[in-house]
């Protein structure tokens, strides 16, 4: 048998379900990986081995079969992962990626996303690293080790789910949940050469986006394979009796029957848009291709040769499968950037820190966002929300002409540690947009998107296997099955690096 970290999450699930592995065996193996690699990678902000082993032992003890097999198939019973260090888990301190929160007592209650994944049977190994309060697109918090892409330890893992992506890419966990308010699942997934999915706003009960300012922040899966990402997505959709997703809001995105997302990824065939079910034939799609973004009218955006090569590889592979590929350009949107900046700062203004001493412990970027946001008049914030609502309608209409739209995942290669300006917040914000121009507009529009690696750069001394580069595939509202099918086709056609970098 291959080493357990070389197995996919789907394979591990099946081995656990068959009783060929126990939760304790799997947990011990991945904890050993974390112990050996985390010092170099910085994927976990905190590791909780005793709690993980207790949880694994309890799952085994309470299993439904004689060998401790799970009580029901299709769960994540016994599979290890980590909680993003912006989420509370009862009994474990939450660091929020900030020295300002060092020494906080353990949380009293777990957040909803943690409860949902616990109910699915996961074993948490600890807290995956995040930047301060989740605002930056890189994970290099002051006073803590940076999260690094395992493909080149001199470069960052992206953010804000940088620790989650780094942990998956280094084989410390088979998959990990993250949150995405401006690209925070897709950016680190792309920087680490793994798969990251941002769901449609309103799809997930926990982290739906419906309850965040401007509807930006949604939760989503990060995994080594498209099928593993779909497996985790299925678990993030808890269902009541009869298979109906347990939504707490009246506003929700279209969702499909249990198993439809995993089936789309595993069969890699385009699904029926009404049912999400994959048909017997592969089918072909009309796909738009663009290197334009909503930031083009505000900052100087340059698509690097490496990003262009990755896009060409993805487009060529999809064209070779019979899909129709149409070059397109997004409509100019000069109003987007000022409105987004206002909304982003407005969201930061609500951070519950009023003590000047604590506020002074925050990093310059975070302080700038909070202080600037607290100076934004209510009218300006309301106008920004209205402007972005109009942009949502425009972008949804532009994307919906196609079955999907493809962009580069990132405009540049993964950035070196320390590349972002630590002293000039305005310059820092600009750098983030230049690195990740294709992501935030989809949070504004609420559209689903998936990033998948399509190319590795030439080897160097720092990156012997090269650096991962990829594409982002954007879907219509509720189009996750189509995205999963197309990403799985790319995965099967291009066969990105199968081995681990370290």
């Amino acid at each position: 048998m291959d080493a357990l970290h070389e197995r996919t999450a789907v394979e591990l699930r099946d081995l656990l379900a068959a009783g060929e592995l126990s939760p304790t065996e799997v947990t011990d193996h991945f904890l050993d990986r974390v112990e050996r690699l985390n010092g170099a990678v910085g994927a976990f902000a905190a590791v909780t081995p005793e709690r993980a082993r207790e949880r694994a032992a309890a799952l085994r003890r309470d299993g439904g079969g004689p060998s401790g097999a799970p009580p029901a198939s299709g769960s994540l019973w016994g599979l290890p992962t980590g909680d993003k260090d912006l989420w509370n888990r009862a009994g474990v301190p939450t660091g929020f990626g900030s020295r300002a929160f060092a020494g906080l007592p353990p949380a009293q209650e777990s957040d909803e996303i943690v409860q949902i994944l616990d109910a699915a049977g996961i074993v948490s190994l600890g807290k995956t690293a995040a930047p301060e309060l989740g605002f930056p697109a890189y994970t290099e918090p002051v006073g803590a080790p940076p999260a690094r892409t395992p493909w080149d330890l001199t470069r960052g893992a992206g953010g804000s789910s940088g620790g989650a992506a780094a942990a998956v890419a280094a084989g410390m966990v088979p998959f990990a949940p993250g949150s995405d308010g401006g690209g925070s699942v897709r950016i680190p997934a792309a920087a680490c050469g793994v798969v990251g999915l941002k769901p449609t706003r309103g799809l997930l009960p926990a982290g739906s986006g419906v309850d965040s300012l401007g509807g930006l922040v949604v939760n989503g899966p990060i995994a080594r394979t498209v099928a593993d990402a779909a497996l985790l997505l299925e678990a993030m959709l808890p269902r009541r009796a009869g298979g109906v997703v347990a939504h707490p809001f009246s506003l929700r995105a279209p969702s499909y029957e249990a198993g439809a997302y995993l089936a789309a990824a595993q069969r890699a065939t385009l699904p029926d848009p009404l049912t999400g079910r994959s048909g017997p034939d592969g089918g072909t799609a009309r796909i738009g291709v663009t290197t334009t973004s909503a930031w083009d009218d505000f900052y100087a955006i340059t698509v690097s040769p490496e990003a262009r090569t990755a896009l060409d590889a993805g487009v060529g592979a999809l064209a070779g499968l019979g899909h129709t590929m149409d070059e397109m350009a997004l409509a100019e949107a000069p109003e987007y950037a000022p409105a987004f900046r206002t909304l982003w700062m407005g969201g930061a203004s609500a951070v519950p820190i009023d003590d000047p001493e604590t506020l002074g412990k925050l990093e310059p970027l975070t302080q700038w966002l909070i202080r600037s946001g607290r100076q934004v008049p209510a009218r300006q914030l309301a106008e920004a929300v209205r402007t972005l609502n109009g942009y949502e309608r425009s972008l949804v209409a532009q994307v919906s002409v196609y079955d999907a739209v493809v962009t580069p995942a990132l405009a540049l290669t993964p950035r070196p540690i320390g590349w972002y300006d630590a002293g000039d917040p305005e310059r820092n914000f600009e750098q983030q947009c230049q690195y990740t121009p294709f992501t935030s507009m989809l949070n504004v529009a609420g559209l689903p998107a998936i990033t998948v690696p399509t190319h590795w750069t030439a080897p160097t001394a720092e990156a012997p296997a090269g650096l991962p580069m990829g594409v982002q595939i954007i879907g219509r509202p509720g189009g996750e099955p189509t995205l999963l099918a197309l990403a799985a086709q790319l995965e099967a056609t291009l066969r990105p690096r199968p081995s681990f970098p370290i």
Side-chain angles (χ1 to χ4, degrees):
M1 180 183 292
D2 294 337
L4 296 187
H5 62 276
E6 296 175 349
R7 295 281 187 166
T8 68
V10 172
E11 290 171 337
L12 290 172
R13 178 203 64 175
D14 293 344
L15 290 168
L16 284 160
E20 296 181 36
L21 288 174
S22 73
T24 300
E25 290 176 272
V26 176
T27 297
D28 284 341
H29 178 86
F30 282 95
L31 281 173
D32 179 67
R33 293 280 296 179
V34 173
E35 182 179 2
R36 290 192 292 111
L37 299 176
N38 195 54
V41 178
F44 277 85
V47 185
T48 54
E50 295 81 7
R51 290 177 62 95
R53 291 190 173 99
E54 289 172 3
R55 164 73 166 170
L59 288 172
R60 181 181 177 90
R61 182 178 62 250
D62 299 337
S67 62
S73 62
S75 71
L76 304 185
W77 186 84
L79 288 174
T81 189
D83 309 313
K84 188 172 181 177
D85 196 30
L86 304 181
W87 298 335
N88 287 323
R89 172 174 289 278
V92 179
T94 306
F96 300 102
S98 176
R99 59 186 170 178
F101 295 94
L104 282 181
Q108 296 298 307
E109 184 177 353
S110 296
D111 286 344
E112 185 180 10
I113 182 60
V114 172
Q115 295 179 35
I116 285 173
L117 293 177
D118 280 355
I122 64 99
V123 176
S124 173
L125 305 187
K127 294 293 189 79
T128 55
E132 190 166 70
L133 300 173
F135 287 116
Y138 59 98
T139 307
E140 301 174 29
V142 172
R148 305 170 185 269
T149 175
W151 298 96
D152 180 349
L153 295 176
T154 70
R155 295 176 182 256
S160 65
S161 304
V168 172
M172 297 184 195
V173 290
F175 52 27
S179 56
D180 189 318
S184 292
V185 161
R186 292 159 289 152
I187 294 163
C192 293
V194 293
V195 177
L197 173 65
K198 173 208 167 298
T200 307
R201 180 188 298 135
L203 178 66
L204 301 181
S208 67
V210 176
D211 51 352
S212 67
L213 182 64
L216 298 182
V217 184
V218 299
N219 294 332
I222 298 172
R224 283 176 55 217
T225 71
V226 177
D228 287 355
L231 178 67
L232 182 52
L233 177 67
E234 295 270 8
M236 298 169 84
L237 284 162
R239 298 174 186 269
R240 299 190 180 98
V244 177
V245 177
H247 278 288
F249 299 107
S250 58
L251 177 66
R252 65 195 64 175
S255 61
Y256 306 104
E257 64 186 23
Y261 301 97
L262 183 56
Q266 290 180 320
R267 295 173 187 166
T269 56
L270 295 182
D272 184 311
L274 296 179
T275 67
R277 299 191 191 99
S278 297
D281 300 319
T284 58
R286 184 186 177 202
I287 301 174
V289 181
T290 188
T291 57
T292 57
S293 82
W295 292 101
D296 292 350
D297 296 310
F298 197 80
Y299 292 128
I301 304 297
T302 300
V303 177
S304 69
E306 296 89 348
R308 183 77 233 192
T309 298
L311 179 64
D312 290 345
V315 169
L318 291 170
L321 293 168
H323 301 299
T324 300
M325 312 301 294
D326 294 339
E327 291 284 343
M328 53 95 69
L330 297 178
E332 293 184 0
E335 75 287 351
Y336 174 88
F340 183 87
R341 283 163 54 95
T342 295
L343 185 66
W344 199 249
M345 291 171 176
S349 73
V351 170
I353 300 176
D354 297 308
D355 172 49
E357 182 179 352
T358 303
L359 191 60
K361 293 179 181 178
L362 298 178
E363 298 168 27
L365 174 68
T366 315
Q367 287 194 47
W368 174 68
L369 289 170
I370 293 173
R371 295 183 192 278
S372 299
R374 290 177 180 176
Q375 294 174 3
V376 172
R379 178 176 177 175
Q380 182 180 338
L381 181 59
E383 289 173 346
V385 170
R386 184 171 65 246
T387 295
L388 294 177
N389 285 343
Y391 181 79
E392 174 183 350
R393 293 169 67 93
S394 171
L395 188 59
V396 169
Q398 293 175 69
V399 168
S400 295
V401 171
Y402 304 94
D403 296 298
V405 171
V406 177
T407 73
L410 301 170
L412 307 171
T413 56
R415 298 292 80 198
I417 299 292
W419 182 75
Y420 294 95
D421 194 317
D424 184 344
E426 185 73 64
R427 172 60 181 150
N428 185 301
F429 192 87
E430 179 181 6
Q431 288 174 305
Q432 294 183 61
C433 295
Q434 290 172 327
Y435 179 42
T436 67
F438 306 105
T439 55
S440 68
M441 60 189 181
L442 304 177
N443 296 82
V444 168
L447 292 171
I450 190 169
T451 54
V452 59
T454 57
H455 170 70
W456 262 256
T457 65
T460 65
E462 295 79 14
L467 289 170
M469 298 297 292
V471 298
Q472 174 180 244
I473 312 174
I474 306 163
R476 299 167 176 162
E480 284 82 358
T482 295
L483 299 187
L484 290 164
L486 291 172
Q489 290 177 10
L490 283 178
E491 185 176 70
T493 302
L494 297 175
R495 300 191 180 280
R497 297 289 194 278
S499 59
F500 291 96
I502 59 174

